């Protein structure tokens, strides 16, 4: 038996370790780009059911792609010109109202008194405010740096959104070519089965994206209508908070409750003088979201998601928690369709093989 040169073995091992470290570093550096690509593929799969639906009506795929992309881009442009100005106006008003409430002495005193009256004697509001002021004074440099980081993050987020939109258009237009190339990598004897399972997975992802957007639209529209009606007793900025509700509901599991908390706090901060015989706005908002979250959890979400991906509720919760822990918001978004794909593979590949043993 030939004895290996220890130096050569050690050198090859060291080179292998360095190569693994280099690959890991490259993936870390490219994490943002890979996230953009993954999000774009995810959205492109969400558009594919719409394109396939037009194909089933007799339209060529090229024309169906053009129609869907024109409609999507038109909707984005409509949002920019119709919704964004309202959001900017109402957000400016939000900042102005909060600044006014903080800077004017008498209104702050009255505001604190209203909160203290609403909460009762169990909580000392003034003491909490004093603690918050002390904390801000001690951590002012760190907070200032954090604000600057948030500002740069917002700019980077806008640029990233544009990149994702452009990549989504490219992937939507070339999705069939991508699928054919992927299927050709599989041996001919297994290609038909692989293609069938892959098509089911792609279809489930597309239906899931459409279902999640539909759920978010329901929450956003209902929030806007509710706050507009509630404006008779002092509800503030319905468009801003409806947009927050829409964005929150795009995130599975925790998005709706997070948006509800933000909306509740916003109405609490902007609390106007209570009208005679009318309950406080923040209390009505809290009751509404307690009811809506039950409706979404037990009626809307199960009906929409079960039709979209056919994943049991407990698996949805576990998948969203695991995905969110590992990859943040993007992980929470893709966790449910990934879980659907795993269940599909288990059902159509693993279980039949076990039955043959």
């Amino acid at each position: 038996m030939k004895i290996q040169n220890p130096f050569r073995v050690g050198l090859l091992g060291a080179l292998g370790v360095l190569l693994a470290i280099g690959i890991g570093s490259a993936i870390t550096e490219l994490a943002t780009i890979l996230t953009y690509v993954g999000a774009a593929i995810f959205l492109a799969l969400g558009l594919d059911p719409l394109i396939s639906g037009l194909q089933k009506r007799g339209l060529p795929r090229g024309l169906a792609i053009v129609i869907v992309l024109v409609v999507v881009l038109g909707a984005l442009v409509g949002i920019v010109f119709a919704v964004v100005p309202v959001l900017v106006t109402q957000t400016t008003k939000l900042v102005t109202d909060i600044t006014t409430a903080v800077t004017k002495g008498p209104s702050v005193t009255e505001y604190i008194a209203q909160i203290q009256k609403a909460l009762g004697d169990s909580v000392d509001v003034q003491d909490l405010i004093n603690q918050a002021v002390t904390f801000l004074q001690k951590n002012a440099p760190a907070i200032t740096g954090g604000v600057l980081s948030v500002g740069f993050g917002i700019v980077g987020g806008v640029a990233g959104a544009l990149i994702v939109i452009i990549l989504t258009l490219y992937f939507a237009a070339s999705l069939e070519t991508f699928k054919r190339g992927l299927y050709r990598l599989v041996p001919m004897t297994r290609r038909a089965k692989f293609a069938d399972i892959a098509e089911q997975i792609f279809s489930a992802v597309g239906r899931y994206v459409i279902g999640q957007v539909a759920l978010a639209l329901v929450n956003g529209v209902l929030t806007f209508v509710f706050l507009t009606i509630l404006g008779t007793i002092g509800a503030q900025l319905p468009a801003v908070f409806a947009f927050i509700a829409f964005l929150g509901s795009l995130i599975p599991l925790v998005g709706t409750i997070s948006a509800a908390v933000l909306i509740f706090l916003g109405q609490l901060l902007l609390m106007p003088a209570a009208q005679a015989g009318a309950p406080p706005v923040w209390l009505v908002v809290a009751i509404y979201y307690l009811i809506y979250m039950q409706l979404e959890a037990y009626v809307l979400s199960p009906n929409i998601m079960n039709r979209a991906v056919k994943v049991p509720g407990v698996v949805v919760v576990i998948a969203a928690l695991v995905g969110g822990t590992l990859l943040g918001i993007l992980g929470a978004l893709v966790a449910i369709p990934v879980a659907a794909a795993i269940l599909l593979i288990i059902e159509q590949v693993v279980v039949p093989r076990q039955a043959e043993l």
Side-chain angles (χ1 to χ4, degrees):
M1 180 179 179
K2 186 177 179 180
I3 300 177
Q4 296 289 337
N5 188 327
F7 176 78
R8 181 183 299 175
V9 174
L11 179 61
L12 292 176
L15 290 175
V17 172
L18 290 175
L19 179 61
I21 293 174
I23 294 174
S25 300
I27 292 175
T28 302
E29 293 294 328
L30 295 174
T32 302
I33 302 300
L34 294 176
T35 300
Y36 292 160
V37 173
I41 294 175
F42 195 67
L43 293 176
L45 291 173
L47 296 177
D48 192 58
L50 302 177
I51 297 172
S52 300
L54 292 178
Q55 279 187 278
K56 292 178 180 178
R57 296 179 180 272
L59 294 179
R61 181 170 179 83
L63 180 58
I65 291 173
V66 170
I67 292 175
V68 170
L69 294 184
V70 168
V71 171
V72 171
L73 291 177
L76 292 176
V77 172
I79 291 173
V80 170
F81 285 100
V83 177
V84 171
V86 178
L87 290 177
V88 170
T89 302
Q90 294 195 358
T91 303
T92 303
K93 184 178 183 301
L94 173 63
V95 174
T96 303
D97 290 347
I98 293 176
T99 303
T100 302
V102 171
T103 55
K104 290 185 178 181
S107 61
V108 171
T109 304
E110 182 182 354
Y111 174 71
I112 294 174
Q114 290 180 16
I115 297 179
Q116 185 67 68
K117 182 179 178 181
L119 296 178
D121 298 331
S122 59
V123 178
D124 189 342
V125 177
Q126 186 62 52
D127 182 60
L128 292 177
I129 293 174
N130 293 336
Q131 293 181 23
V133 171
T134 303
F135 174 81
L136 292 175
Q137 290 174 345
K138 290 182 178 179
N139 299 275
I143 293 174
T144 303
V147 171
L148 291 176
S149 299
V150 170
F152 287 120
I154 292 173
V155 174
V158 173
L162 292 176
I163 294 173
V164 169
I165 290 173
I166 294 172
L167 288 175
T168 299
L169 299 180
Y170 278 112
F171 285 136
S174 58
L175 190 59
E176 287 300 312
T177 303
F178 169 77
K179 289 180 181 179
R180 287 195 297 268
L182 177 64
Y183 299 157
R184 290 177 63 184
L185 297 176
V186 180
M188 180 65 72
T189 55
R190 303 178 181 176
R191 189 173 300 172
K193 183 65 174 178
F194 178 85
D196 178 57
I197 295 176
E199 288 293 340
Q200 293 183 57
I201 293 174
F202 293 149
S203 177
V205 173
R207 294 194 306 269
Y208 167 74
V209 173
I210 293 175
Q212 197 66 39
V213 172
L215 203 59
L217 283 174
V218 169
N219 191 8
V221 170
L222 289 180
T223 298
F224 179 78
V225 173
F226 173 73
L227 291 180
T228 301
I229 295 173
L230 209 61
T232 56
I233 61 171
Q236 305 290 310
L237 312 179
V240 172
F241 292 120
F243 188 66
I244 292 174
F246 170 77
L247 292 180
S249 289
L250 291 175
I251 305 172
L253 197 63
V254 298
T256 300
I257 189 172
S258 300
V261 170
L262 290 176
I263 294 170
F264 167 77
L265 292 176
Q267 295 298 330
L268 184 62
L269 287 172
L270 298 173
M271 183 170 55
Q275 297 184 13
V281 173
W282 58 266
L283 178 60
V284 180
V285 169
I287 294 173
Y288 165 77
Y289 269 105
L290 287 175
I291 296 173
Y292 173 78
M293 284 189 288
Q294 302 304 312
L295 178 66
E296 181 182 287
Y298 294 105
V299 179
L300 296 178
S301 185
N303 281 308
I304 293 175
M305 289 305 160
N306 286 341
R307 294 180 182 180
V309 292
K310 297 180 181 178
V311 176
V314 64
V315 177
V316 170
V317 174
I318 295 173
L321 289 174
V322 172
T325 302
L326 295 177
L327 297 174
I329 293 177
L330 181 62
L333 288 173
V334 304
I336 296 174
V338 168
I342 294 174
L343 290 177
L344 184 63
I345 292 172
I346 291 174
E347 180 183 351
Q348 299 197 15
V349 177
V350 177
V351 173
R353 287 184 179 180
Q354 294 297 321
E356 293 175 358
L357 295 179

